[in-house]
Amino acid sequence: MNNPLLEPFDQAPFSQIKNEDFKPAFLQAIEDAKKEIDAIVDNPDSPTFENTLEALDFSGQQLDRISSIFFNLNSAETNEEIQKIAQEVSPLLSEFSNDITLNEGLFKRIKAVYEQRDSLNLTTEQQTLLEKKYKNFSRNGANLTEENKKRLREIDTELAKLKLTFGENVLAETNKYEMLLTDEKDVEGLPDGTKEAAAQLAESKGKEGWLITLDYPSYIPFMKYAKNRELRKELSMAFGSKGFHNDELDNQENVKRIVKLRHERAKLLGYKTHAHFVLEERMAETPEKVLDFLNELLEKSKPAAELEFAELEAYAKELDNIDRLEKWDSAYYSEKLKQKLFNLDDEKLKPYFKLENVINGVFRVAEKLFGLTFKEVDHVDKYHKEVKTFEVYENGDFISLFYADFHPRPGKRGGAWMTSYKPQYVLNGKNNRPHISNVCNFTKPTSSKPSLLTFNEVTTLFHEFGHALHGMLANTTYPSLSGTSVYWDFVELPSQVMENWCYEKEALELFAHHYETGELIPIELVEKIKESATFQEGMATVRQLSFGLLDMAWHGDDPSNITDVKAFEDQAFESTDLFPKTPETCLSTSFSHIFQGGYSSGYYSYKWAEVLDADAFAYFKENGIFSRTVADRFKEYVLSKGGTENPMELYKKFRGAEPSIDALLERAGLVTK
């Protein structure tokens, strides 16, 4: 029987794929890709850039497409069967990847080209590809002894499985917890929309009352508005203790094993720690630089954070006679204090941010900046009926397909992300355009209301769309250098810079209209959004820095002597702690960014990219937020170039200078002009 994944296709053929198609497709595509590699290695001609590097970069395309479809489904529309297949194929893919990087014949050819690079007259992009491929081999063990190569393979196979298990445990913990409330008093304080969604969820599961879960659209409003402190505590404890219950879903041993294996791998390759290994390929370059960066920001933001904390604690005491502010009080009293200071709460703003209007708004911003137009289409195959699909055009030319998937479902992991189903590249003179996707978990429409976004969700949508633009506007020759294939601490620049438009009157006027009356968002609300943007920025900064410092603690030293995950985490949080400790919770056991995703030794990059984005947006502000001149430069040197050049060089070409930390501190209200 025909396997749709092994037939030629441009758009992912979701409706034709059955789960049982995946494993045979992977096995066949791995075999085919191996043959392509063999053909490169066995080529009797002397190694050249074209017959070795180019041939390698364009090999395994079918396998890449199958992988992107499968692993995207495992994140956005998974089930037990898909998770089981993931556990089976991940080690096979790790092994195949190692087969390539540990292939002596292939490395010999690459090395031969690399050694004559100065006489080859290569373009900048070709030089980058050559350097990246050579380094990729040496960083993955090409220069190791046979015995050490074998050990490297074992480590990579085990790590691939551990990361999957870690993520599955977090998802299972999230889905397992439910708080059913049947007394009206227990939902006091919750906005009508949140109550209605909770009632609908309960009803969908054959229960009466209000069902609260650990999914963000349920968890966050409850923590922010629920008056009942004990219930907030219960929910906070459940959220904070995912993977920390000493049961079959516990992640403590997984965490310790992952960091030990990563450390062993780095040592095998000649690096001091996993962080040293990772950061060699980042703008930050070394763990010392990262720690200096984090600690400099901590020094600047901690005094503000302590003042804000004291103010919040005093306010909670004044309001409800709370003696000690706990973690489960933070969102609740922050929201109350924010309303008192700015008379601005999410419920006032939400009617102006109907999901469809915000989508239209982000499209309009992209149109004004980059000349893009978006056309919703229904002929594109989807993996779920909730997915929206758009064709994207630039000056009448098709440039990308765009999938958008906005609401939580049981088979979808939490959070928000951008991904791709097909990369951009140029082959045989044809520019193959990318297929890009944004996946989010926004509040669903209810029977009486459309999906109305909190302001935080609005900025999340703009953020992920910034990543999408990085993918859509890609214009490079080689797939491995295209789109978001850039240094990890540069990848957040396009996404974070997009968030700035959410705070600008000129941009909000394009889409922030009341969903019932059509009234434009009042100017005083816009002013309040801007004023409140720096509200508790000290505390927010310290919280972000604490995650970065925890990540560096796990990966910047030898972890062999770590026996107690919680004690180690507490020690890492020492310099950033504001709230009383909670022995029952542990962040590390559900810190998916660093233990499942790709952020190990890289969590600092959110703050790093904030420095870049504040500096970049300051340039827009100087010239007008819709300046086509600045937008064209941003597109030319950042969005279209992918990983074809060193990111600091690209940034300097765009901005004319290296970024300065001052714009960030000023925007955050942590220093005055």
Side-chain angles (χ1 to χ4, degrees):
M1 204 159 111
N2 285 355
N3 187 327
L5 289 163
L6 293 170
E7 302 292 321
F9 59 85
D10 183 43
Q11 295 169 8
F14 293 114
S15 62
Q16 298 166 42
I17 306 167
K18 298 180 182 66
N19 284 345
E20 57 267 28
D21 292 332
F22 280 113
K23 199 168 174 191
F26 272 115
L27 292 169
Q28 182 61 57
I30 287 172
E31 277 316 301
D32 293 345
K34 279 181 177 169
K35 285 180 187 145
E36 291 178 61
I37 299 298
D38 289 343
I40 298 169
V41 177
D42 299 338
N43 187 338
D45 297 339
S46 311
T48 63
F49 181 83
E50 287 71 23
N51 71 18
T52 303
L53 277 304
E54 242 175 35
L56 176 60
D57 209 53
F58 286 112
S59 70
Q61 286 192 302
Q62 187 84 350
L63 178 59
D64 290 342
R65 294 293 311 269
I66 295 166
S67 296
S68 70
I69 290 170
F70 176 75
F71 286 102
N72 284 331
L73 286 178
N74 192 35
S75 289
E77 188 58 20
T78 195
N79 52 45
E80 280 182 15
E81 202 181 342
I82 285 181
Q83 289 179 353
K84 185 171 172 287
I85 298 166
Q87 289 282 6
E88 288 168 9
V89 300
S90 290
L92 300 176
L93 291 167
S94 271
E95 193 182 334
F96 170 67
S97 170
N98 281 330
D99 280 344
I100 293 178
T101 48
L102 300 176
N103 183 319
E104 279 178 39
L106 183 59
F107 183 54
K108 209 168 147 188
R109 287 185 73 91
I110 290 169
K111 204 170 181 176
V113 180
Y114 185 74
E115 281 167 354
Q116 42 170 323
R117 63 192 180 282
D118 294 337
S119 60
L120 294 178
N121 202 17
L122 300 174
T123 65
T124 305
E125 184 175 351
Q126 290 173 328
Q127 283 171 349
T128 304
L129 185 73
L130 175 57
E131 244 164 63
K132 281 196 173 173
K133 292 287 184 208
Y134 177 76
K135 268 175 123 173
N136 188 35
F137 276 73
S138 58
R139 282 167 58 81
N140 283 292
N143 291 316
L144 294 179
T145 63
E146 278 314 306
E147 189 188 342
N148 284 345
K149 280 182 182 174
K150 181 172 174 288
R151 178 60 194 140
L152 194 74
R153 284 172 178 271
E154 290 165 2
I155 291 172
D156 285 346
T157 303
E158 192 181 344
L159 275 173
K161 285 188 149 181
L162 282 166
K163 282 160 68 174
L164 277 172
T165 304
F166 181 95
E168 284 166 10
N169 288 352
V170 174
L171 183 63
E173 285 270 61
T174 305
N175 288 340
K176 188 173 83 165
Y177 178 86
E178 291 181 347
M179 185 162 79
L180 183 66
L181 305 174
T182 50
D183 188 336
E184 182 87 43
K185 276 209 310 286
D186 291 340
V187 289
E188 192 182 338
L190 292 187
D192 291 345
T194 304
K195 275 170 39 180
E196 191 182 355
Q200 259 178 235
L201 186 61
E203 194 185 331
S204 74
K205 298 201 171 189
K207 297 175 180 180
E208 278 188 28
W210 298 270
L211 198 58
I212 307 298
T213 69
L214 299 181
D215 284 325
Y216 281 116
S218 177
Y219 173 75
I220 286 171
F222 196 88
M223 296 308 295
K224 206 183 260 194
Y225 297 108
K227 197 170 180 184
N228 186 321
R229 192 182 187 206
E230 279 309 304
L231 291 177
R232 288 201 314 270
K233 178 179 178 178
E234 184 194 320
L235 194 64
S236 170
M237 288 298 195
F239 191 88
S241 59
K242 286 182 283 193
F244 191 57
H245 295 295
N246 293 310
D247 57 9
E248 72 283 357
L249 298 176
D250 193 273
N251 267 335
Q252 292 173 82
E253 290 307 315
N254 292 330
V255 165
K256 288 191 284 189
R257 187 73 186 140
I258 287 170
V259 292
K260 281 174 183 162
L261 286 171
R262 283 173 174 167
H263 183 73
E264 185 189 343
R265 188 181 195 282
K267 295 290 278 186
L268 261 184
L269 293 166
Y271 295 86
K272 190 178 167 191
T273 67
H274 178 67
H276 285 85
F277 169 76
V278 168
L279 291 164
E280 182 185 66
E281 290 286 89
R282 300 283 194 266
M283 287 174 86
E285 296 170 342
T286 66
E288 293 73 25
K289 251 192 180 177
V290 169
L291 288 168
D292 285 349
F293 169 72
L294 294 173
N295 286 319
E296 183 190 355
L297 271 176
L298 183 60
E299 198 185 313
K300 299 254 170 61
S301 55
K302 182 96 181 266
E306 287 169 339
L307 280 173
E308 291 162 5
F309 184 82
E311 179 186 29
L312 193 61
E313 195 162 50
Y315 178 67
K317 180 148 179 67
E318 175 200 323
L319 208 62
D320 290 325
N321 210 18
I322 301 282
D323 279 328
R324 223 168 65 140
L325 197 69
E326 301 281 1
K327 286 175 181 163
W328 47 89
D329 297 319
S330 176
Y332 179 75
Y333 288 105
S334 287
E335 186 58 29
K336 288 241 180 297
L337 180 57
K338 189 175 177 183
Q339 287 181 37
K340 181 187 163 188
L341 295 175
F342 305 103
N343 189 20
L344 180 75
D345 80 272
D346 271 335
E347 293 310 301
K348 271 200 190 114
L349 292 174
K350 278 167 75 172
Y352 295 98
F353 296 126
K354 180 181 167 185
L355 174 61
E356 290 73 11
N357 293 351
V358 181
I359 297 167
N360 188 39
V362 83
F363 288 171
R364 290 286 310 281
V365 169
E367 183 185 351
K368 285 173 83 77
L369 287 170
F370 308 112
L372 303 182
T373 49
F374 296 79
K375 178 182 162 199
E376 187 162 7
V377 290
D378 55 14
H379 59 74
V380 174
D381 210 339
K382 306 171 180 188
Y383 56 86
H384 192 279
K385 63 179 189 299
E386 286 178 358
V387 177
K388 295 170 178 288
T389 49
F390 302 86
E391 288 174 348
V392 189
Y393 294 89
E394 183 181 15
N395 304 323
D397 294 330
F398 174 77
I399 62 150
S400 179
L401 191 58
F402 178 51
Y403 299 81
D405 178 3
F406 289 120
H407 303 297
R409 295 185 293 273
K412 189 198 265 196
R413 70 174 167 90
W417 62 96
M418 167 269 183
T419 184
S420 125
Y421 286 105
K422 178 190 172 194
Q424 176 274 331
Y425 55 89
V426 176
L427 186 61
N428 301 327
K430 183 185 177 215
N431 196 328
N432 289 267
R433 299 311 302 168
H435 299 173
I436 304 298
S437 172
N438 273 171
V439 188
C440 304
N441 280 280
F442 297 145
T443 312
K444 282 188 162 185
T446 63
S447 48
S448 70
K449 281 192 178 76
S451 175
L452 300 176
L453 304 191
T454 64
F455 188 69
N456 195 28
E457 288 177 324
V458 175
T459 57
T460 298
L461 190 148
F462 269 70
H463 178 102
E464 295 308 330
F465 190 75
H467 283 308
L469 286 173
H470 205 180
M472 292 175 199
L473 291 169
N475 199 17
T476 64
T477 305
Y478 304 111
S480 72
L481 300 179
S482 180
T484 53
S485 304
V486 298
Y487 278 3
W488 207 256
D489 46 9
F490 193 58
V491 81
E492 293 298 330
L493 167 60
S495 53
Q496 290 186 188
V497 84
M498 279 304 289
E499 292 182 34
N500 289 284
W501 275 266
C502 301
Y503 296 89
E504 298 295 326
K505 174 177 176 286
E506 233 181 305
L508 287 168
E509 284 174 348
L510 299 174
F511 66 92
H513 294 266
H514 196 287
Y515 79 100
E516 287 173 317
T517 65
E519 175 209 5
L520 180 64
I521 191 166
I523 186 66
E524 60 271 19
L525 281 184
V526 177
E527 291 306 323
K528 284 174 182 174
I529 288 172
K530 288 200 80 153
E531 276 175 45
S532 64
T534 59
F535 174 66
Q536 292 188 343
E537 189 57 41
M539 282 169 68
T541 300
V542 166
R543 183 170 175 270
Q544 274 290 81
L545 296 174
S546 74
F547 296 160
L549 289 164
L550 177 63
D551 173 27
M552 293 310 288
W554 278 117
H555 296 111
D557 271 315
D558 181 347
S560 352
N561 298 324
I562 301 170
T563 52
D564 184 329
V565 170
K566 173 67 173 170
F568 181 78
E569 175 175 298
D570 283 347
Q571 201 182 337
F573 282 155
E574 207 61 53
S575 63
T576 55
D577 268 342
L578 295 168
F579 290 89
K581 287 183 169 45
T582 46
E584 309 88 335
T585 65
C586 181
L587 170 68
S588 297
T589 52
S590 64
F591 198 174
S592 301
H593 271 82
I594 67 169
F595 292 118
Q596 183 196 6
Y599 275 86
S600 64
S601 302
Y603 201 87
Y604 75 91
S605 58
Y606 280 109
K607 273 290 160 208
W608 185 274
E610 270 188 56
V611 169
L612 296 175
D613 104 64
D615 189 67
F617 193 65
Y619 188 25
F620 272 100
K621 296 266 291 195
E622 286 159 24
N623 294 275
I625 65 161
F626 288 115
S627 161
R628 278 306 283 267
T629 312
V630 180
D632 284 346
R633 291 176 70 84
F634 192 68
K635 180 181 150 195
E636 183 180 352
Y637 296 119
V638 177
L639 296 176
S640 70
K641 284 284 192 290
T644 56
E645 274 185 68
N646 179 295
M648 190 56 91
E649 293 310 309
L650 288 174
Y651 189 83
K652 286 193 294 197
K653 284 180 181 174
F654 156 66
R655 185 67 163 104
E658 287 203 5
S660 136
I661 201 170
D662 300 343
L664 173 65
L665 295 171
E666 199 180 297
R667 184 178 71 185
L670 299 172
V671 295
T672 46
K673 269 188 182 174

